[in-house]
Amino acid sequence: MAAATLFPIVGIKGQVQQRGVERRREIVDAAIELFGVNGYAGTGVAAIAKKAGVTPSAVIHHFGSKENLLKAVLDEFDARAAARVSSKDLVTALLEDAEHTMAHKGLATLHTVLQAEHLARDDEITRRFRERNRLLRRHFAEVLSDAGAVELIAFLEGALTVWLLDPETTDLKAMYARYLSSLQSGDTGPTPAPNG
């Protein structure tokens, strides 16, 4: 008799675990949207809970704290970005990323707002942004020089800000395409060190 009742219990436990995963995803998605609009500092747990359709205590139950939720948001943001650019050449990956960014303005705003909020700090979130920047530099330097990688990141960050300020009159993908074309043709990029 114990064996006969085991399977329904396991099924229920699996359903409960699946529901917990779905609930965490809903909370992270709500936090992504609200952090992107209001910033981390300007978004309370109660607002995230309301957006996700849960109680504030459910947010704390799943994440332990607002800071842990922010870490989960950054993990999700990076996982989505990595999935978009894996196994593609650099130009194709960046142009597709520009299309994705234009279709998901909230995520782009989230990146910019969180990074700006943590520039003057030296905390775990600041270190995560710094490490992400270094990973991108190393990745881009495999195709370009290190100086070229730094310039490309500077262009990408600047282009994103220009687009976020005026998306109605700025075509992010076209900006990327022009810059990358110039970079490929050698019309832009770091000036070589002088000889002698």
Side-chain angles (χ1 to χ4, degrees):
M1 184 165 172
T5 60
L6 177 63
F7 293 105
I9 292 170
V10 170
I12 290 169
K13 183 178 179 186
Q15 290 171 358
V16 169
Q17 288 173 337
Q18 179 60 35
R19 186 63 193 135
V21 169
E22 291 169 4
R23 182 66 71 200
R24 285 178 60 90
R25 163 84 53 199
E26 292 165 358
I27 294 168
V28 166
D29 286 344
I32 285 172
E33 184 175 336
L34 293 174
F35 288 164
V37 173
N38 304 317
Y40 174 74
T43 303
V45 170
I48 294 166
K50 182 176 180 182
K51 181 82 176 164
V54 299
T55 63
S57 60
V59 174
I60 299 304
H61 167 76
H62 285 286
F63 294 96
S65 69
K66 183 181 165 187
E67 185 173 341
N68 286 340
L69 174 56
L70 175 60
K71 292 172 190 174
V73 163
L74 293 173
D75 288 342
E76 180 65 19
F77 183 86
D78 287 343
R80 290 180 188 183
R84 287 194 309 275
V85 299
S86 61
S87 72
K88 295 183 178 108
D89 69 271
L90 182 60
V91 171
T92 301
L94 290 175
L95 291 175
E96 288 181 8
D97 192 58
E99 283 182 0
H100 180 272
T101 298
M102 292 175 75
H104 299 89
K105 185 180 175 195
L107 287 176
T109 305
L110 169 71
H111 166 81
T112 303
V113 168
L114 289 178
Q115 185 168 260
E117 282 185 334
H118 289 83
L119 282 176
R121 300 179 190 176
D122 188 21
D123 59 12
E124 182 180 344
I125 304 305
T126 308
R127 290 187 290 276
R128 286 178 69 134
F129 275 108
R130 187 179 302 123
E131 184 55 32
R132 184 179 189 275
N133 180 275
R134 289 174 180 170
L135 286 170
L136 279 175
R137 282 177 66 171
R138 285 192 296 269
H139 177 70
F140 292 162
E142 292 173 6
V143 178
L144 309 165
S145 65
D146 186 56
V150 171
E151 181 181 295
L152 178 56
I153 291 170
F155 165 78
L156 295 173
E157 292 288 343
L160 182 61
T161 301
V162 168
W163 176 72
L164 285 171
L165 285 170
D166 194 4
E168 291 80 23
T169 65
T170 307
D171 185 335
L172 185 65
K173 185 177 179 184
M175 265 198 300
Y176 276 34
R178 280 190 305 276
Y179 178 80
L180 293 169
S181 176
S182 296
L183 189 62
Q184 286 180 311
S185 69
D187 293 338
T188 188
T191 305
N195 292 330

